[in-house]
Amino acid sequence: MEGYLSEGGATGSHAGDQKISASPALEALMQVQEYDLAIDQLLYRRSHLEAISALDACMKRVGKIASERQRVAAERDAAIARQDGLEADIAQASERIRSIEKRMYGGEVSAARELEAMAHEVEHIASRRSELEDAEIQCMEELEPLDQAIAALDKDAAEAEAQATRLEERAHAECDAIDEEVASIAKQRDDAAGGIPGDLLAQYEAIRKHLGGQGAARLLHGVCTGCHLSLPAVEHQRAMHADPGAIITCEQCGRILVR
Ligand SMILES: [Zn+2]
């Protein structure tokens, strides 16, 4: 196995089972990993913000209120159209009654039979008009709860929209704070990564990506702290006797072992 660093390479190789000080590159790698894990945690927190899930729920409520309002408004519009139609019919009936009565009492018609027929017609139209008026009253009675429902839905919508605005502001503020923290840690991470050879860093990043988090782990008393499994005795001996800068990976999990 080839070491990345020349310093300390010769002294570490015959140190037996005692703790060999890790190379600065591997120590820097552990630091980079700490920063990476801290960033992972922050990004996880960012994607699971309570304000964002509350905002989603709130927007669903806004949508539900809007569709309910649309439904009630359509019902109200239909009732209004019905009322308008009834009013027009009532006006027309009144107009016809007025016109017949004008002829009846205007002196133009004198035949008793004709006058009787006209009186009958007036009576008939008046009865029909009375029915129309009843229907109009019923229509107005139907409109009242619909108007109330729309007013209540408008109030609910205003409240839900105000809550959505508040949650949006909160989510933005929380995201901004996390982004700031991530940027600050990323800078420290990059500084630490500067002391690590490119191929070691690339190897670490590939393992980290594959395993979803940890690319390197300390080897403590023959146990890989990444997967918590003991290294086979032969492997452990080999790891302990290797050049401190040599890159050794755990056979079980594949992580870079830092001795
Ligand atoms: Zn392991």
Side-chain angles (χ1 to χ4, degrees), residues 25-240:
L26 287 171
E27 279 306 320
L29 189 64
M30 288 308 283
Q31 240 186 332
V32 163
Q33 173 157 278
E34 260 176 54
Y35 291 133
D36 280 340
L37 292 176
I39 290 171
D40 287 351
Q41 255 175 13
L42 286 167
L43 294 181
Y44 178 85
R45 212 208 295 165
R46 193 188 193 282
S47 62
H48 290 78
L49 285 179
E50 193 258 326
I52 288 177
S53 51
L55 179 61
D56 282 348
C58 192
M59 289 318 289
K60 270 192 198 123
R61 193 169 128 72
V62 168
K64 228 168 142 181
I65 293 168
S67 68
E68 177 63 5
R69 192 199 188 280
Q70 208 173 12
R71 189 189 67 75
V72 178
E75 212 178 310
R76 186 182 62 170
D77 288 349
I80 289 172
R82 219 161 50 235
Q83 192 188 5
D84 287 350
L86 287 166
E87 266 170 17
D89 289 350
I90 290 165
Q92 201 183 21
S94 298
E95 185 48 43
R96 276 188 68 200
I97 289 171
R98 256 197 309 278
S99 147
I100 294 166
E101 283 177 342
K102 200 177 159 193
R103 279 174 57 223
M104 278 172 79
Y105 306 120
E108 300 163 36
V109 183
S110 53
R113 192 178 286 178
E114 202 178 337
L115 283 170
E116 202 183 328
M118 287 166 96
H120 261 298
E121 201 185 349
V122 166
E123 205 180 309
H124 175 74
I125 297 168
S127 151
R128 172 77 190 130
R129 185 177 61 181
S130 170
E131 279 169 22
L132 292 168
E133 280 164 351
D134 286 348
E136 195 194 3
I137 288 167
Q138 204 188 333
C139 215
M140 283 156 77
E141 279 168 359
E142 278 170 34
L143 269 170
E144 205 183 309
L146 293 173
D147 283 337
Q148 283 169 354
I150 285 178
L153 286 165
D154 284 345
K155 191 168 166 271
D156 287 353
E159 274 169 14
E161 277 159 22
Q163 196 195 1
T165 304
R166 283 195 300 274
L167 286 167
E168 212 168 14
E169 282 167 4
R170 208 180 94 197
H172 270 304
E174 285 175 11
C175 281
D176 286 351
I178 290 174
D179 288 346
E180 226 172 274
E181 214 177 324
V182 166
S184 150
I185 295 173
K187 200 187 165 298
Q188 288 170 271
R189 188 250 186 227
D190 288 347
D191 288 346
I196 302 168
D199 44 359
L200 172 59
L201 195 60
Q203 191 183 349
Y204 155 78
E205 272 160 3
I207 298 167
R208 185 176 127 72
K209 195 177 165 196
H210 179 65
L211 296 177
Q214 229 184 323
R218 285 203 187 274
L219 176 63
L220 286 178
H221 312 296
V223 176
C224 163
T225 55
C227 62
H228 305 289
L229 291 172
S230 294
L231 256 66
V234 180
E235 281 301 312
H236 183 216
Q237 281 306 310
R238 230 174 69 191
M240 299 317 288

